[in-house]
Amino acid sequence: MYVTDKILPELPAPSNAKGLVYWLKNNLFSSPLNIVITFLGFYLVYKILPPAIQWAFIDATWVAETREECLGEGKGACWAYIGNRFGQVMYGFYPPAEYWRPNLAGILLILLTIPLFIEKMPKKVWLGAFILLVFPFIAYVLIHGGMLGLSEVGTDRWGGLMLTLIISLVGIAAALPLGIILALGRRSEMPIVKSISIIFIEFWRGVPLITVLFMASVMLPLFLPAGSDFDKLARAMIGIILFQSAYVAEVVRGGLQAIPKGQYEAAVAMGLSYWKSMFLIILPQALKLVIPGLVNTFIALFKDTTLVLIIGLFDLLLIIENVLGSDAAWLGFFTEGLVFAAFVFWIFCFSMSRYSMALERKLDTGHRS
Amino acid sequence: MSEANTQAQQDYAIRMINLNKWYGDFHVLKNINLDVAQGERIVICGPSGSGKSTVIRCINHLEEHQKGQIIVNGDEITGDVKQLERLRRDVGMCFQHFNLFPHLSILDNLTLAPIWVRKIPKAEAEATAMKYLERVKIPDQANKYPGQLSGGQQQRVAIARSLCMNPKIMLFDEPTSALDPEMISEVLDVMVELAEEGGMTMLCVTHEMGFAKQVADRVIFMDAGQIIEENTPNEFFNNPQSERTQLFLSQIIAH
């Protein structure tokens, strides 16, 4: 017989189970093939990175008044050209004297959004509702003008990063609620609601976004009564919202299906109505589960906004490619323009990705029942 | 319905009259007739697949019956949504797998229904919640999440969550079946206390025969969708009438 009344103490892990050497050995040099790939990787980085840094930073021209200052032997990237046309890159053909209006709208949005991230902030729901339902009108009045003494700036003069952000923010803010409703509709037990949701989702998922935008800009006016003038940007936005809501709906539906039946039963067994059990119990869990998928959709939406260039809206990419690229005073710096556009898109997409990861960690209560 | 008849109905917490239910072609409940008096404590047992869970899930309409009547607190269940919401306020339920809401703290789990269904002010709902958490002996866990609690603690929270709605009827659907052996007694203790306090109608599907002997007014044995035997615990365990019951009892006592 063997009996012990002593519990063994915990010991630290040995050095060959952690640390840098352990990591290198396990991740980079674990097999002959991995060793070859590691050295090949190092070689490629060595060949590509130094010249790229040389071009983009060391030899670059940051400040210049004319194109000529950027040219010559040993000159790298000409960022001065972006700087000189910065207004257009940001605002398109928006009158420079009125730049303060979109700026004010942007600052207002940021100031309104900050409290949402404060943990103990009371009445968050009302603030959120204000941002979603009231702020868009304030922003529209500010940016579009034509009332309250503000001069009118038509949407045809909106452009650049401002337009890209407006389309994506409106797209995300509208596609998410619409998508949630569609997802609930598709899982509804009411046959008519279910059929309408399925038809809607499958229709919009079945057509390419380019087609939707063409339809919105070219075909739709043909069906509207003669003389009715429906803003081109608004048409494009509605197209994007309907299109993306179908994708959001399917992502959300995936989350709804992952919630165990017991959660639905526990919710209704306490006397919660359908909508209360959805909004208080099911959706908070389902949406948390599908954060990666939702952010994926939103990043795709953000990048897809560049497609509005085919219906002649001057988003960030079209401004850089078309307007700046053909600017006689600054010919020949197409690469810089595209690199800059790529960088701006990457910053926004990467931020969304990081934010979603932080959000997942914050909402993780460590358990799925 | 005459005045006297209504009065008679009121004396019963639950009446089932010729209840029948099918899952597709499978006849899962066959002519169930069961009257439960106000405040009565009933244990339902039987082999798996006998329809015992289905019976109590029909009471709060988590399962729909196809034939017969169920009358709860004098109201016949029709499937009308508004009526169901009303009915479910007064019928608490504990599930085999607890079904706590993992995204809410324990306290929020307990106050959610009182606040959103009964429209009780938050502070008052929290006070009630703490009172019941103390009764199930885990007030110190109020700010944790369900995932941080053991199975036994979760089931006690689930019981407290139902009690917060101040139900007239409590349904227990195999509340200890998913628990580790060490934790069964802490849940049963709470249930015994609740039963001995009286006043609340309790229906409990369970295999805990000790619990049945201790608190049940009546034990119901089901098999193949039927009620086979129905008796006081004393008679049921010491003098089972049907062969099926005798077999069942010999099997669970053998282990």
Side-chain angles (χ1 to χ4, degrees):
Chain A
M1 190 172 122
Y2 171 77
V3 177
T4 182
D5 51 12
K6 215 168 63 192
I7 302 292
L8 297 174
E10 285 181 23
L11 298 173
S15 65
N16 64 1
K18 60 174 188 181
L20 181 66
V21 175
Y22 167 81
W23 187 87
L24 284 175
K25 226 163 85 181
N26 269 277
N27 292 290
L28 298 182
F29 302 103
S30 56
S31 71
L33 179 66
N34 268 357
I35 293 171
V36 172
I37 293 174
T38 299
F39 280 112
L40 209 64
F42 281 146
Y43 178 72
L44 279 177
V45 169
Y46 166 75
K47 287 302 273 184
I48 293 168
L49 209 54
I53 290 171
Q54 187 81 20
W55 178 81
F57 298 105
I58 299 169
D59 292 343
T61 310
W62 298 91
V63 188
E65 285 310 308
T66 62
R67 173 176 178 268
E68 279 64 37
E69 293 174 50
C70 275
L71 297 173
E73 201 56 28
K75 294 266 186 184
C78 180
W79 301 122
Y81 134 89
I82 305 278
N84 275 317
R85 290 290 181 271
F86 199 67
Q88 277 188 5
V89 170
M90 289 292 135
Y91 307 95
F93 306 112
Y94 208 86
E98 309 289 332
Y99 281 170
W100 64 271
R101 281 156 53 179
N103 287 348
L104 182 62
I107 291 168
L108 212 56
L109 179 60
I110 292 169
L111 288 180
L112 282 171
T113 317
I114 287 173
L116 291 181
F117 293 89
I118 297 169
E119 202 69 30
K120 292 279 171 218
M121 173 81 190
K123 307 263 183 269
K124 263 188 196 178
V125 178
W126 292 106
L127 183 61
F130 180 83
I131 293 174
L132 279 179
L133 302 174
V134 182
F135 177 76
F137 294 100
I138 299 174
Y140 179 78
V141 169
L142 262 174
I143 300 175
H144 185 268
M147 55 190 101
L148 303 175
L150 296 167
S151 61
E152 185 173 331
V153 184
T155 55
D156 51 331
R157 294 169 77 182
W158 301 10
L161 183 61
M162 176 183 96
L163 184 67
T164 299
L165 287 178
I166 289 174
I167 297 175
S168 4
L169 286 177
V170 172
I172 291 171
L176 181 62
L178 188 56
I180 290 173
I181 299 292
L182 283 169
L184 292 176
R186 191 164 185 168
R187 282 172 59 81
S188 166
E189 279 163 15
M190 290 180 270
I192 295 175
V193 174
K194 190 180 170 120
S195 317
I196 291 174
S197 305
I198 291 178
I199 292 168
F200 183 96
I201 292 169
E202 296 305 337
F203 172 78
W204 289 103
R205 281 208 307 171
V207 288
L209 184 54
I210 291 213
T211 319
V212 175
L213 291 173
F214 262 131
M215 295 281 277
S217 89
V218 183
M219 303 281 289
L220 195 63
L222 299 178
F223 300 118
L224 291 173
S228 68
D229 181 31
F230 196 45
D231 190 79
K232 185 158 76 174
L233 176 62
R235 276 180 276 148
M237 274 206 229
I238 291 170
I240 289 176
I241 290 167
L242 297 179
F243 180 86
Q244 297 292 349
S245 66
Y247 283 86
V248 171
E250 286 299 277
V251 172
V252 172
R253 188 168 68 97
L256 291 174
Q257 277 170 349
I259 304 299
K261 200 163 158 252
Q263 292 288 311
Y264 292 85
E265 289 181 347
V268 296
M270 297 194 306
L272 288 172
S273 67
Y274 171 82
W275 289 107
K276 280 179 191 162
S277 57
M278 284 301 147
F279 279 100
L280 297 170
I281 308 297
I282 305 302
L283 280 172
Q285 295 183 59
L287 292 178
K288 185 179 87 181
L289 277 182
V290 297
I291 287 173
L294 279 179
V295 173
N296 214 13
T297 308
F298 293 154
I299 287 178
L301 186 157
F302 184 69
K303 292 190 290 190
D304 282 352
T305 57
T306 52
L307 288 175
V308 298
L309 65 84
I310 63 148
I311 58 168
L313 291 172
F314 285 88
D315 79 313
L316 178 64
L317 194 63
L318 188 61
I319 283 279
I320 284 175
E321 187 182 293
N322 211 339
V323 180
L324 302 193
S326 59
D327 186 342
W330 290 90
L331 270 183
F333 300 115
F334 208 53
T335 317
E336 283 85 339
L338 289 181
V339 167
F340 178 75
F343 179 68
V344 171
F345 274 101
W346 183 81
I347 290 283
F348 279 98
C349 294
F350 187 65
S351 312
M352 277 193 256
S353 153
R354 299 305 297 189
Y355 175 66
S356 82
M357 285 164 75
L359 197 62
E360 272 181 73
R361 272 196 300 276
K362 188 183 144 215
L363 296 179
D364 182 19
T365 52
H367 179 68
R368 294 186 38 210
S369 135
Chain B
M1 205 181 280
S2 74
E3 195 67 27
N5 205 344
T6 314
Q7 188 53 45
Q9 299 278 16
Q10 297 272 324
D11 293 339
Y12 291 111
I14 301 159
R15 297 199 74 185
M16 295 185 189
I17 302 163
N18 282 331
L19 186 70
N20 278 276
K21 177 174 172 59
W22 287 262
Y23 286 129
D25 281 337
F26 178 55
H27 198 173
V28 56
L29 294 182
K30 302 169 191 160
N31 275 337
I32 303 285
N33 282 291
L34 178 65
D35 289 341
V36 182
Q38 298 281 4
E40 203 178 359
R41 292 152 300 189
I42 289 183
V43 163
I44 304 173
C45 58
S48 90
S50 58
K52 55 193 190 303
S53 285
T54 312
V55 166
I56 69 164
R57 287 162 59 86
C58 280
I59 294 169
N60 61 356
H61 208 69
L62 288 181
E63 304 283 353
E64 200 171 350
H65 58 280
Q66 279 90 32
K67 255 178 83 182
Q69 284 179 294
I70 303 179
I71 299 155
V72 179
N73 293 328
D75 271 339
E76 185 183 344
I77 295 180
T78 56
D80 172 72
V81 178
K82 285 292 150 204
Q83 186 217 22
L84 270 180
E85 283 168 21
R86 248 191 346 263
L87 164 103
R88 284 165 172 165
R89 283 175 215 172
D90 294 329
V91 181
M93 184 163 200
C94 288
F95 299 85
Q96 182 176 3
H97 297 288
F98 334 131
N99 298 352
L100 295 179
F101 306 129
H103 63 301
L104 297 176
S105 71
I106 300 303
L107 194 61
D108 289 340
N109 262 281
L110 267 67
T111 56
L112 184 119
I115 290 173
W116 288 91
V117 178
R118 290 231 192 264
K119 315 281 180 207
I120 291 170
K122 191 166 182 240
E124 194 184 320
E126 284 181 353
T128 313
M130 286 314 293
K131 186 183 92 187
Y132 284 114
L133 278 181
E134 255 155 62
R135 265 187 65 177
V136 300
K137 301 175 190 70
I138 33 176
D140 47 329
Q141 313 283 1
N143 293 313
K144 289 195 181 166
Y145 284 93
Q148 296 165 296
L149 268 55
S150 73
Q153 290 174 324
Q154 288 193 46
Q155 191 61 292
R156 285 186 280 155
V157 170
I159 294 172
R161 178 174 73 175
S162 297
L163 294 178
C164 281
M165 284 293 278
N166 205 6
K168 297 193 179 92
I169 301 171
M170 273 292 285
L171 308 173
F172 294 89
D173 187 3
E174 306 204 32
T176 55
S177 306
L179 295 175
D180 288 337
E182 302 183 274
M183 294 167 183
I184 291 177
S185 68
E186 66 186 50
V187 172
L188 286 179
D189 287 347
V190 167
M191 290 171 60
V192 168
E193 229 172 80
L194 200 63
E196 285 174 346
E197 199 169 280
M200 199 186 295
T201 311
M202 288 171 75
L203 274 85
C204 184
V205 172
T206 185
H207 293 130
E208 298 297 334
M209 292 303 134
F211 174 76
K213 282 178 196 164
Q214 196 176 345
V215 304
D217 296 315
R218 227 181 336 157
V219 179
I220 288 167
F221 175 69
M222 285 185 69
D223 190 23
Q226 277 175 292
I227 293 179
I228 302 287
E229 194 162 340
E230 187 184 322
N231 218 330
T232 60
N234 204 11
E235 282 293 301
F236 180 82
F237 290 110
N238 299 327
N239 189 16
Q241 298 298 308
S242 85
E243 230 171 87
R244 189 67 194 83
T245 315
Q246 289 160 11
L247 181 68
F248 176 76
L249 286 175
S250 72
Q251 274 166 344
I252 51 173
I253 287 162
H255 292 288

